[in-house]
Amino acid sequence: MSEKFTDDLFDLKNDRRLSVYLYRAGFGCWLLYILSGARFMQSVSTYRTDFGVFAFFLMVMGLSASMIYDYYHHPAEFAQKRKWLAISYVVLAGLIYFFILHHEPVSIEHLLGRGLF
């Protein structure tokens, strides 16, 4: 992988590729979410909720990355996306709280006890 490619990929101010890649990965996880509900995919059906939350997470991160480009090049689109980004973060926090944490309060001891860190 060339250094020029990675420099361009993480130059969010002038390049949209990273946000497109995040959107595509989110769409792929969303397709896994749909497929994991099928009868022939019962071996991965336990991860169905995780696929859905991760798909939403990737799409929100793609929106966040594309907003950096829009801030410099398309101010009108940035103003519109800013509202949706705030709503997306609230929905994502709700999804993580209800489906991943299972209504449990967040504490450091709880996270360390479950082996997440």
Side-chain angles (χ1 to χ4, degrees):
M1 182 182 304
S2 73
E3 203 173 295
K4 175 79 170 127
F5 175 76
T6 57
D7 288 343
D8 289 344
L9 183 63
F10 295 108
D11 181 21
L12 297 176
K13 181 176 155 183
N14 296 313
D15 195 359
R16 283 191 157 185
R17 283 184 291 169
L18 183 61
S19 64
V20 171
Y21 296 153
L22 288 170
Y23 278 130
R24 288 178 182 170
F27 184 70
C29 279
W30 179 71
L31 290 176
L32 281 173
Y33 170 76
I34 291 172
L35 282 176
S36 62
R39 185 173 294 152
F40 68 91
M41 296 282 284
Q42 283 186 346
S43 62
V44 294
S45 66
T46 57
Y47 302 110
R48 188 164 194 239
T49 303
D50 296 333
F51 289 147
V53 172
F54 192 58
F56 194 80
F57 172 77
L58 287 173
M59 290 187 178
V60 169
M61 291 300 108
L63 177 62
S64 301
S66 73
M67 284 184 64
I68 295 170
Y69 178 84
D70 289 336
Y71 178 77
Y72 291 101
H73 300 284
H74 306 287
E77 289 181 23
F78 174 78
Q80 177 68 26
K81 286 182 180 180
R82 186 174 48 195
K83 299 169 193 168
W84 287 109
L85 184 65
I87 293 169
S88 298
Y89 277 128
V90 169
V91 170
L92 182 61
L95 288 174
I96 290 172
Y97 178 73
F98 287 110
F99 292 116
I100 303 298
L101 297 176
H102 305 291
H103 305 285
E104 298 172 5
V106 179
S107 68
I108 298 297
E109 294 84 20
H110 174 72
L111 292 175
L112 292 175
R114 291 184 67 188
L116 296 175
F117 292 111

PDB file of all heavy atoms in Angstrom, residues 23-38 40-41 44 48 51-52 54-56 58-59:
ATOM      1  N   TYR A  23     -19.891   3.793   4.463  1.00  0.00           N
ATOM      2  CA  TYR A  23     -21.278   3.551   4.053  1.00  0.00           C
ATOM      3  C   TYR A  23     -21.434   2.155   3.458  1.00  0.00           C
ATOM      4  O   TYR A  23     -22.398   1.447   3.749  1.00  0.00           O
ATOM      5  CB  TYR A  23     -21.737   4.576   3.025  1.00  0.00           C
ATOM      6  CG  TYR A  23     -22.184   5.895   3.573  1.00  0.00           C
ATOM      7  CD1 TYR A  23     -21.682   7.084   3.063  1.00  0.00           C
ATOM      8  CD2 TYR A  23     -23.129   5.982   4.589  1.00  0.00           C
ATOM      9  CE1 TYR A  23     -22.092   8.309   3.549  1.00  0.00           C
ATOM     10  CE2 TYR A  23     -23.552   7.193   5.081  1.00  0.00           C
ATOM     11  CZ  TYR A  23     -23.026   8.355   4.556  1.00  0.00           C
ATOM     12  OH  TYR A  23     -23.440   9.553   5.047  1.00  0.00           O
ATOM     13  N   ARG A  24     -20.498   1.767   2.603  1.00  0.00           N
ATOM     14  CA  ARG A  24     -20.584   0.446   1.970  1.00  0.00           C
ATOM     15  C   ARG A  24     -20.441  -0.674   2.989  1.00  0.00           C
ATOM     16  O   ARG A  24     -21.140  -1.687   2.917  1.00  0.00           O
ATOM     17  CB  ARG A  24     -19.517   0.316   0.890  1.00  0.00           C
ATOM     18  CG  ARG A  24     -19.819   1.160  -0.322  1.00  0.00           C
ATOM     19  CD  ARG A  24     -18.738   1.064  -1.348  1.00  0.00           C
ATOM     20  NE  ARG A  24     -19.028   1.929  -2.489  1.00  0.00           N
ATOM     21  CZ  ARG A  24     -18.171   2.187  -3.442  1.00  0.00           C
ATOM     22  NH1 ARG A  24     -16.955   1.663  -3.405  1.00  0.00           N
ATOM     23  NH2 ARG A  24     -18.513   2.979  -4.439  1.00  0.00           N
ATOM     24  N   ALA A  25     -19.532  -0.518   3.943  1.00  0.00           N
ATOM     25  CA  ALA A  25     -19.383  -1.528   4.988  1.00  0.00           C
ATOM     26  C   ALA A  25     -20.652  -1.600   5.840  1.00  0.00           C
ATOM     27  O   ALA A  25     -21.085  -2.689   6.227  1.00  0.00           O
ATOM     28  CB  ALA A  25     -18.173  -1.208   5.859  1.00  0.00           C
ATOM     29  N   GLY A  26     -21.260  -0.455   6.123  1.00  0.00           N
ATOM     30  CA  GLY A  26     -22.522  -0.433   6.867  1.00  0.00           C
ATOM     31  C   GLY A  26     -23.634  -1.118   6.110  1.00  0.00           C
ATOM     32  O   GLY A  26     -24.446  -1.850   6.688  1.00  0.00           O
ATOM     33  N   PHE A  27     -23.677  -0.895   4.803  1.00  0.00           N
ATOM     34  CA  PHE A  27     -24.684  -1.566   3.983  1.00  0.00           C
ATOM     35  C   PHE A  27     -24.446  -3.074   3.966  1.00  0.00           C
ATOM     36  O   PHE A  27     -25.399  -3.864   4.030  1.00  0.00           O
ATOM     37  CB  PHE A  27     -24.663  -1.004   2.555  1.00  0.00           C
ATOM     38  CG  PHE A  27     -25.713  -1.564   1.671  1.00  0.00           C
ATOM     39  CD1 PHE A  27     -27.045  -1.247   1.853  1.00  0.00           C
ATOM     40  CD2 PHE A  27     -25.368  -2.433   0.642  1.00  0.00           C
ATOM     41  CE1 PHE A  27     -28.022  -1.786   1.037  1.00  0.00           C
ATOM     42  CE2 PHE A  27     -26.339  -2.964  -0.179  1.00  0.00           C
ATOM     43  CZ  PHE A  27     -27.668  -2.634   0.011  1.00  0.00           C
ATOM     44  N   GLY A  28     -23.177  -3.485   3.926  1.00  0.00           N
ATOM     45  CA  GLY A  28     -22.860  -4.917   3.983  1.00  0.00           C
ATOM     46  C   GLY A  28     -23.301  -5.544   5.288  1.00  0.00           C
ATOM     47  O   GLY A  28     -23.853  -6.649   5.309  1.00  0.00           O
ATOM     48  N   CYS A  29     -23.092  -4.845   6.403  1.00  0.00           N
ATOM     49  CA  CYS A  29     -23.562  -5.358   7.699  1.00  0.00           C
ATOM     50  C   CYS A  29     -25.074  -5.397   7.759  1.00  0.00           C
ATOM     51  O   CYS A  29     -25.651  -6.289   8.374  1.00  0.00           O
ATOM     52  CB  CYS A  29     -23.018  -4.500   8.830  1.00  0.00           C
ATOM     53  SG  CYS A  29     -21.347  -4.917   9.281  1.00  0.00           S
ATOM     54  N   TRP A  30     -25.717  -4.426   7.129  1.00  0.00           N
ATOM     55  CA  TRP A  30     -27.186  -4.429   7.093  1.00  0.00           C
ATOM     56  C   TRP A  30     -27.681  -5.639   6.304  1.00  0.00           C
ATOM     57  O   TRP A  30     -28.667  -6.285   6.691  1.00  0.00           O
ATOM     58  CB  TRP A  30     -27.683  -3.124   6.474  1.00  0.00           C
ATOM     59  CG  TRP A  30     -29.162  -3.027   6.378  1.00  0.00           C
ATOM     60  CD1 TRP A  30     -30.051  -2.857   7.389  1.00  0.00           C
ATOM     61  CD2 TRP A  30     -29.937  -3.120   5.181  1.00  0.00           C
ATOM     62  NE1 TRP A  30     -31.334  -2.824   6.891  1.00  0.00           N
ATOM     63  CE2 TRP A  30     -31.289  -2.983   5.543  1.00  0.00           C
ATOM     64  CE3 TRP A  30     -29.606  -3.293   3.831  1.00  0.00           C
ATOM     65  CZ2 TRP A  30     -32.302  -3.023   4.607  1.00  0.00           C
ATOM     66  CZ3 TRP A  30     -30.620  -3.329   2.909  1.00  0.00           C
ATOM     67  CH2 TRP A  30     -31.954  -3.195   3.303  1.00  0.00           C
ATOM     68  N   LEU A  31     -26.995  -5.979   5.203  1.00  0.00           N
ATOM     69  CA  LEU A  31     -27.365  -7.186   4.452  1.00  0.00           C
ATOM     70  C   LEU A  31     -27.142  -8.443   5.292  1.00  0.00           C
ATOM     71  O   LEU A  31     -27.947  -9.377   5.240  1.00  0.00           O
ATOM     72  CB  LEU A  31     -26.573  -7.264   3.147  1.00  0.00           C
ATOM     73  CG  LEU A  31     -26.941  -6.232   2.089  1.00  0.00           C
ATOM     74  CD1 LEU A  31     -26.016  -6.367   0.884  1.00  0.00           C
ATOM     75  CD2 LEU A  31     -28.392  -6.371   1.662  1.00  0.00           C
ATOM     76  N   LEU A  32     -26.069  -8.485   6.070  1.00  0.00           N
ATOM     77  CA  LEU A  32     -25.854  -9.614   6.988  1.00  0.00           C
ATOM     78  C   LEU A  32     -26.959  -9.691   8.027  1.00  0.00           C
ATOM     79  O   LEU A  32     -27.384 -10.784   8.414  1.00  0.00           O
ATOM     80  CB  LEU A  32     -24.498  -9.493   7.677  1.00  0.00           C
ATOM     81  CG  LEU A  32     -23.287  -9.901   6.878  1.00  0.00           C
ATOM     82  CD1 LEU A  32     -22.013  -9.572   7.638  1.00  0.00           C
ATOM     83  CD2 LEU A  32     -23.343 -11.372   6.548  1.00  0.00           C
ATOM     84  N   TYR A  33     -27.422  -8.531   8.491  1.00  0.00           N
ATOM     85  CA  TYR A  33     -28.528  -8.496   9.445  1.00  0.00           C
ATOM     86  C   TYR A  33     -29.770  -9.135   8.831  1.00  0.00           C
ATOM     87  O   TYR A  33     -30.446  -9.938   9.470  1.00  0.00           O
ATOM     88  CB  TYR A  33     -28.814  -7.049   9.849  1.00  0.00           C
ATOM     89  CG  TYR A  33     -30.085  -6.876  10.631  1.00  0.00           C
ATOM     90  CD1 TYR A  33     -30.143  -7.233  11.969  1.00  0.00           C
ATOM     91  CD2 TYR A  33     -31.234  -6.366  10.029  1.00  0.00           C
ATOM     92  CE1 TYR A  33     -31.310  -7.083  12.695  1.00  0.00           C
ATOM     93  CE2 TYR A  33     -32.402  -6.207  10.749  1.00  0.00           C
ATOM     94  CZ  TYR A  33     -32.440  -6.567  12.079  1.00  0.00           C
ATOM     95  OH  TYR A  33     -33.597  -6.422  12.782  1.00  0.00           O
ATOM     96  N   ILE A  34     -30.068  -8.802   7.589  1.00  0.00           N
ATOM     97  CA  ILE A  34     -31.242  -9.369   6.919  1.00  0.00           C
ATOM     98  C   ILE A  34     -31.056 -10.867   6.686  1.00  0.00           C
ATOM     99  O   ILE A  34     -31.949 -11.672   6.970  1.00  0.00           O
ATOM    100  CB  ILE A  34     -31.514  -8.632   5.593  1.00  0.00           C
ATOM    101  CG1 ILE A  34     -31.988  -7.212   5.880  1.00  0.00           C
ATOM    102  CG2 ILE A  34     -32.548  -9.363   4.759  1.00  0.00           C
ATOM    103  CD1 ILE A  34     -32.104  -6.340   4.659  1.00  0.00           C
ATOM    104  N   LEU A  35     -29.890 -11.244   6.184  1.00  0.00           N
ATOM    105  CA  LEU A  35     -29.644 -12.652   5.886  1.00  0.00           C
ATOM    106  C   LEU A  35     -29.595 -13.523   7.145  1.00  0.00           C
ATOM    107  O   LEU A  35     -29.961 -14.694   7.095  1.00  0.00           O
ATOM    108  CB  LEU A  35     -28.330 -12.816   5.123  1.00  0.00           C
ATOM    109  CG  LEU A  35     -28.371 -12.486   3.644  1.00  0.00           C
ATOM    110  CD1 LEU A  35     -26.978 -12.600   3.046  1.00  0.00           C
ATOM    111  CD2 LEU A  35     -29.331 -13.408   2.915  1.00  0.00           C
ATOM    112  N   SER A  36     -29.135 -12.957   8.259  1.00  0.00           N
ATOM    113  CA  SER A  36     -29.034 -13.774   9.469  1.00  0.00           C
ATOM    114  C   SER A  36     -30.399 -14.151  10.028  1.00  0.00           C
ATOM    115  O   SER A  36     -30.490 -15.026  10.888  1.00  0.00           O
ATOM    116  CB  SER A  36     -28.203 -13.055  10.533  1.00  0.00           C
ATOM    117  OG  SER A  36     -28.823 -11.852  10.915  1.00  0.00           O
ATOM    118  N   GLY A  37     -31.459 -13.567   9.539  1.00  0.00           N
ATOM    119  CA  GLY A  37     -32.803 -13.961   9.943  1.00  0.00           C
ATOM    120  C   GLY A  37     -33.340 -15.123   9.129  1.00  0.00           C
ATOM    121  O   GLY A  37     -34.372 -15.700   9.475  1.00  0.00           O
ATOM    122  N   ALA A  38     -32.640 -15.485   8.061  1.00  0.00           N
ATOM    123  CA  ALA A  38     -33.082 -16.588   7.209  1.00  0.00           C
ATOM    124  C   ALA A  38     -32.802 -17.934   7.880  1.00  0.00           C
ATOM    125  O   ALA A  38     -31.910 -18.063   8.718  1.00  0.00           O
ATOM    126  CB  ALA A  38     -32.374 -16.529   5.857  1.00  0.00           C
ATOM    127  N   PHE A  40     -31.517 -20.693   6.657  1.00  0.00           N
ATOM    128  CA  PHE A  40     -30.247 -21.336   6.339  1.00  0.00           C
ATOM    129  C   PHE A  40     -29.056 -20.664   7.036  1.00  0.00           C
ATOM    130  O   PHE A  40     -27.952 -21.176   6.996  1.00  0.00           O
ATOM    131  CB  PHE A  40     -30.006 -21.374   4.819  1.00  0.00           C
ATOM    132  CG  PHE A  40     -29.779 -20.034   4.185  1.00  0.00           C
ATOM    133  CD1 PHE A  40     -28.500 -19.522   4.052  1.00  0.00           C
ATOM    134  CD2 PHE A  40     -30.847 -19.294   3.710  1.00  0.00           C
ATOM    135  CE1 PHE A  40     -28.286 -18.294   3.469  1.00  0.00           C
ATOM    136  CE2 PHE A  40     -30.644 -18.064   3.117  1.00  0.00           C
ATOM    137  CZ  PHE A  40     -29.356 -17.561   2.995  1.00  0.00           C
ATOM    138  N   MET A  41     -29.262 -19.522   7.701  1.00  0.00           N
ATOM    139  CA  MET A  41     -28.192 -18.813   8.409  1.00  0.00           C
ATOM    140  C   MET A  41     -28.370 -18.904   9.927  1.00  0.00           C
ATOM    141  O   MET A  41     -27.939 -18.022  10.652  1.00  0.00           O
ATOM    142  CB  MET A  41     -28.170 -17.343   7.986  1.00  0.00           C
ATOM    143  CG  MET A  41     -27.850 -17.090   6.547  1.00  0.00           C
ATOM    144  SD  MET A  41     -26.112 -17.238   6.204  1.00  0.00           S
ATOM    145  CE  MET A  41     -25.507 -15.718   6.882  1.00  0.00           C
ATOM    146  N   VAL A  44     -25.508 -18.168  12.551  1.00  0.00           N
ATOM    147  CA  VAL A  44     -25.091 -16.804  12.913  1.00  0.00           C
ATOM    148  C   VAL A  44     -26.273 -15.954  13.379  1.00  0.00           C
ATOM    149  O   VAL A  44     -26.130 -14.751  13.557  1.00  0.00           O
ATOM    150  CB  VAL A  44     -24.364 -16.103  11.741  1.00  0.00           C
ATOM    151  CG1 VAL A  44     -23.053 -16.772  11.414  1.00  0.00           C
ATOM    152  CG2 VAL A  44     -25.253 -15.996  10.534  1.00  0.00           C
ATOM    153  N   ARG A  48     -27.435 -11.468  15.083  1.00  0.00           N
ATOM    154  CA  ARG A  48     -28.285 -10.618  14.249  1.00  0.00           C
ATOM    155  C   ARG A  48     -28.396  -9.199  14.798  1.00  0.00           C
ATOM    156  O   ARG A  48     -28.256  -8.225  14.073  1.00  0.00           O
ATOM    157  CB  ARG A  48     -29.682 -11.233  14.112  1.00  0.00           C
ATOM    158  CG  ARG A  48     -30.531 -10.494  13.111  1.00  0.00           C
ATOM    159  CD  ARG A  48     -31.720 -11.324  12.703  1.00  0.00           C
ATOM    160  NE  ARG A  48     -32.296 -10.719  11.508  1.00  0.00           N
ATOM    161  CZ  ARG A  48     -33.537 -10.290  11.440  1.00  0.00           C
ATOM    162  NH1 ARG A  48     -34.346 -10.413  12.466  1.00  0.00           N
ATOM    163  NH2 ARG A  48     -33.982  -9.757  10.334  1.00  0.00           N
ATOM    164  N   PHE A  51     -25.152  -7.348  14.228  1.00  0.00           N
ATOM    165  CA  PHE A  51     -25.020  -6.894  12.842  1.00  0.00           C
ATOM    166  C   PHE A  51     -25.802  -5.605  12.615  1.00  0.00           C
ATOM    167  O   PHE A  51     -25.327  -4.682  11.961  1.00  0.00           O
ATOM    168  CB  PHE A  51     -25.522  -7.951  11.850  1.00  0.00           C
ATOM    169  CG  PHE A  51     -24.648  -9.173  11.736  1.00  0.00           C
ATOM    170  CD1 PHE A  51     -25.214 -10.409  11.476  1.00  0.00           C
ATOM    171  CD2 PHE A  51     -23.282  -9.104  11.879  1.00  0.00           C
ATOM    172  CE1 PHE A  51     -24.438 -11.535  11.358  1.00  0.00           C
ATOM    173  CE2 PHE A  51     -22.487 -10.232  11.766  1.00  0.00           C
ATOM    174  CZ  PHE A  51     -23.064 -11.447  11.504  1.00  0.00           C
ATOM    175  N   GLY A  52     -27.009  -5.545  13.142  1.00  0.00           N
ATOM    176  CA  GLY A  52     -27.844  -4.364  12.950  1.00  0.00           C
ATOM    177  C   GLY A  52     -27.275  -3.129  13.617  1.00  0.00           C
ATOM    178  O   GLY A  52     -27.228  -2.049  13.017  1.00  0.00           O
ATOM    179  N   PHE A  54     -24.119  -2.644  14.500  1.00  0.00           N
ATOM    180  CA  PHE A  54     -22.848  -2.299  13.862  1.00  0.00           C
ATOM    181  C   PHE A  54     -23.080  -1.643  12.504  1.00  0.00           C
ATOM    182  O   PHE A  54     -22.348  -0.724  12.122  1.00  0.00           O
ATOM    183  CB  PHE A  54     -21.963  -3.538  13.724  1.00  0.00           C
ATOM    184  CG  PHE A  54     -20.548  -3.233  13.335  1.00  0.00           C
ATOM    185  CD1 PHE A  54     -19.764  -2.402  14.120  1.00  0.00           C
ATOM    186  CD2 PHE A  54     -20.003  -3.775  12.187  1.00  0.00           C
ATOM    187  CE1 PHE A  54     -18.455  -2.118  13.764  1.00  0.00           C
ATOM    188  CE2 PHE A  54     -18.703  -3.492  11.826  1.00  0.00           C
ATOM    189  CZ  PHE A  54     -17.925  -2.675  12.609  1.00  0.00           C
ATOM    190  N   ALA A  55     -24.097  -2.082  11.771  1.00  0.00           N
ATOM    191  CA  ALA A  55     -24.430  -1.436  10.499  1.00  0.00           C
ATOM    192  C   ALA A  55     -24.820   0.020  10.723  1.00  0.00           C
ATOM    193  O   ALA A  55     -24.371   0.915  10.002  1.00  0.00           O
ATOM    194  CB  ALA A  55     -25.570  -2.186   9.803  1.00  0.00           C
ATOM    195  N   PHE A  56     -25.644   0.253  11.730  1.00  0.00           N
ATOM    196  CA  PHE A  56     -26.048   1.626  12.042  1.00  0.00           C
ATOM    197  C   PHE A  56     -24.837   2.453  12.467  1.00  0.00           C
ATOM    198  O   PHE A  56     -24.670   3.597  12.064  1.00  0.00           O
ATOM    199  CB  PHE A  56     -27.121   1.622  13.128  1.00  0.00           C
ATOM    200  CG  PHE A  56     -27.825   2.928  13.285  1.00  0.00           C
ATOM    201  CD1 PHE A  56     -28.836   3.287  12.418  1.00  0.00           C
ATOM    202  CD2 PHE A  56     -27.460   3.802  14.285  1.00  0.00           C
ATOM    203  CE1 PHE A  56     -29.480   4.509  12.546  1.00  0.00           C
ATOM    204  CE2 PHE A  56     -28.107   5.015  14.431  1.00  0.00           C
ATOM    205  CZ  PHE A  56     -29.119   5.373  13.557  1.00  0.00           C
ATOM    206  N   LEU A  58     -21.643   2.016  11.583  1.00  0.00           N
ATOM    207  CA  LEU A  58     -20.814   2.321  10.417  1.00  0.00           C
ATOM    208  C   LEU A  58     -21.429   3.414   9.555  1.00  0.00           C
ATOM    209  O   LEU A  58     -20.715   4.275   9.027  1.00  0.00           O
ATOM    210  CB  LEU A  58     -20.576   1.059   9.589  1.00  0.00           C
ATOM    211  CG  LEU A  58     -19.619   0.038  10.184  1.00  0.00           C
ATOM    212  CD1 LEU A  58     -19.617  -1.225   9.346  1.00  0.00           C
ATOM    213  CD2 LEU A  58     -18.220   0.618  10.283  1.00  0.00           C
ATOM    214  N   MET A  59     -22.732   3.403   9.406  1.00  0.00           N
ATOM    215  CA  MET A  59     -23.379   4.435   8.598  1.00  0.00           C
ATOM    216  C   MET A  59     -23.323   5.804   9.275  1.00  0.00           C
ATOM    217  O   MET A  59     -23.158   6.820   8.601  1.00  0.00           O
ATOM    218  CB  MET A  59     -24.794   4.028   8.259  1.00  0.00           C
ATOM    219  CG  MET A  59     -24.837   2.883   7.285  1.00  0.00           C
ATOM    220  SD  MET A  59     -26.488   2.527   6.731  1.00  0.00           S
ATOM    221  CE  MET A  59     -26.164   1.206   5.595  1.00  0.00           C
TER     222      MET A  59
END
